[in-house]
Amino acid sequence: LAKTTQPISMDSYEGQEVNITCSHNNIATNDYITWYQQFPSQGPRFIIQGYKTKVTNEVASLFIPADRKSSTLSLPRVSLSDTAVYYCLVVRAGGMRFGAGTRLTVKP
Amino acid sequence: DAGVTQSPTHLIKTRGQQVTLRCSPKSGHDTVSWYQQALGQGPQFIFQYYEEEERQRGNFPDRFSGHQFPNYSSELNVNALLLGDSALYLCASSPAGAILYEQYFGPGTRLTVT
């Protein structure tokens, strides 16, 4: 599975849009890109998954360029409760590898 | 609908002992995966069970073993505990053949080895 690289930490303010970019240069044809969110003392929670172009759900948007070597998770109008660690993963059937994640801190 | 449940919540063991952690998957899920999460790090994949068989395994020694029961619940066993085994152990379940690689995680078992 391709290794992912993302910022260690990010700060934002309530109401702002937050974009977290992840690089995955060695992504394979059968791989999907998935993002999870984790609060302290809880298990990770699935946010969104995509293969190419743009995917949007009620929580976030995921932008994937044509070469698929990177992806950007976009969180619209964050609130204090969005403070968490966000993991970018490259996944395929039977395989999922978490990196260190991005610690997002939302300030009032 | 109950999500993924794990027991116990916390556990303290001594170096060299053995431990068994338990997991009940989300209703309708038949695949269970186990992860180890050290403090400040992302979860590391231990293994995955499907149809009572270990289907995938991460880079963990044989001291880590597991089992899946006919009702899809699962156990993680760790023998000869080391101080470095102290971590949050997460169980995740998913339905076989799901289109999305979405796993539902439990709250974890915090294991402390002294």
Side-chain angles (χ1 to χ4, degrees):
Chain A
L1 289 169
K3 182 179 178 181
T4 58
T5 302
Q6 53 185 121
I8 294 175
S9 64
M10 292 181 67
D11 289 341
S12 183
Y13 290 92
E14 281 191 293
Q16 290 187 332
E17 178 184 73
V18 171
N19 295 310
I20 306 175
T21 297
C22 175
S23 66
H24 25 78
N25 292 321
N26 297 321
I27 190 168
T29 302
N30 294 334
D31 294 340
Y32 283 73
I33 298 143
T34 303
W35 286 79
Y36 279 78
Q37 174 193 55
Q38 186 176 27
F39 298 111
S41 301
Q42 294 186 25
R45 184 176 73 100
F46 174 90
I47 300 175
I48 198 167
Q49 178 177 289
Y51 185 80
K52 61 181 178 180
T53 64
K54 177 183 174 181
V55 179
T56 298
N57 62 22
E58 65 278 6
V59 177
S61 294
L62 178 59
F63 299 91
I64 305 169
D67 66 6
R68 304 198 330 121
K69 293 184 182 299
S70 68
S71 59
T72 299
L73 175 72
S74 181
L75 304 172
R77 298 179 300 280
V78 294
S79 64
L80 296 177
S81 63
D82 292 317
T83 293
V85 178
Y86 292 82
Y87 296 98
C88 165
L89 291 83
V90 170
V91 302
R92 68 173 73 126
M96 181 180 290
R97 183 165 82 178
F98 285 80
T102 297
R103 184 172 300 277
L104 173 65
T105 302
V106 180
K107 303 176 182 179
Chain B
D1 175 26
V4 178
T5 59
Q6 294 186 242
S7 62
T9 305
H10 296 87
L11 202 53
I12 300 175
K13 289 287 188 177
T14 304
R15 201 169 31 177
Q17 285 188 319
Q18 178 265 343
V19 68
T20 298
L21 310 181
R22 295 175 176 80
C23 170
S24 291
K26 181 178 171 63
S27 178
H29 289 186
D30 53 11
T31 302
V32 174
S33 302
W34 286 91
Y35 294 81
Q36 179 195 67
Q37 185 172 26
L39 203 59
Q41 298 183 21
Q44 300 301 306
F45 174 72
I46 303 175
F47 42 53
Q48 184 181 79
Y49 276 84
Y50 171 67
E51 291 188 341
E52 303 179 49
E53 297 281 338
E54 182 182 291
R55 184 161 70 170
Q56 296 280 340
R57 188 178 182 93
N59 188 26
F60 278 79
D62 292 344
R63 297 187 298 109
F64 290 77
S65 63
H67 187 78
Q68 185 179 34
F69 299 94
N71 67 353
Y72 309 121
S73 66
S74 176
E75 288 182 348
L76 165 64
N77 300 295
V78 186
N79 294 323
L81 284 167
L82 303 174
L83 296 179
D85 294 331
S86 294
L88 180 68
Y89 287 85
L90 295 162
C91 169
S93 72
S94 57
I99 296 174
L100 291 178
Y101 296 113
E102 179 178 358
Q103 294 192 342
Y104 290 79
F105 284 80
T109 293
R110 173 72 62 187
L111 173 64
T112 302
V113 182
T114 62

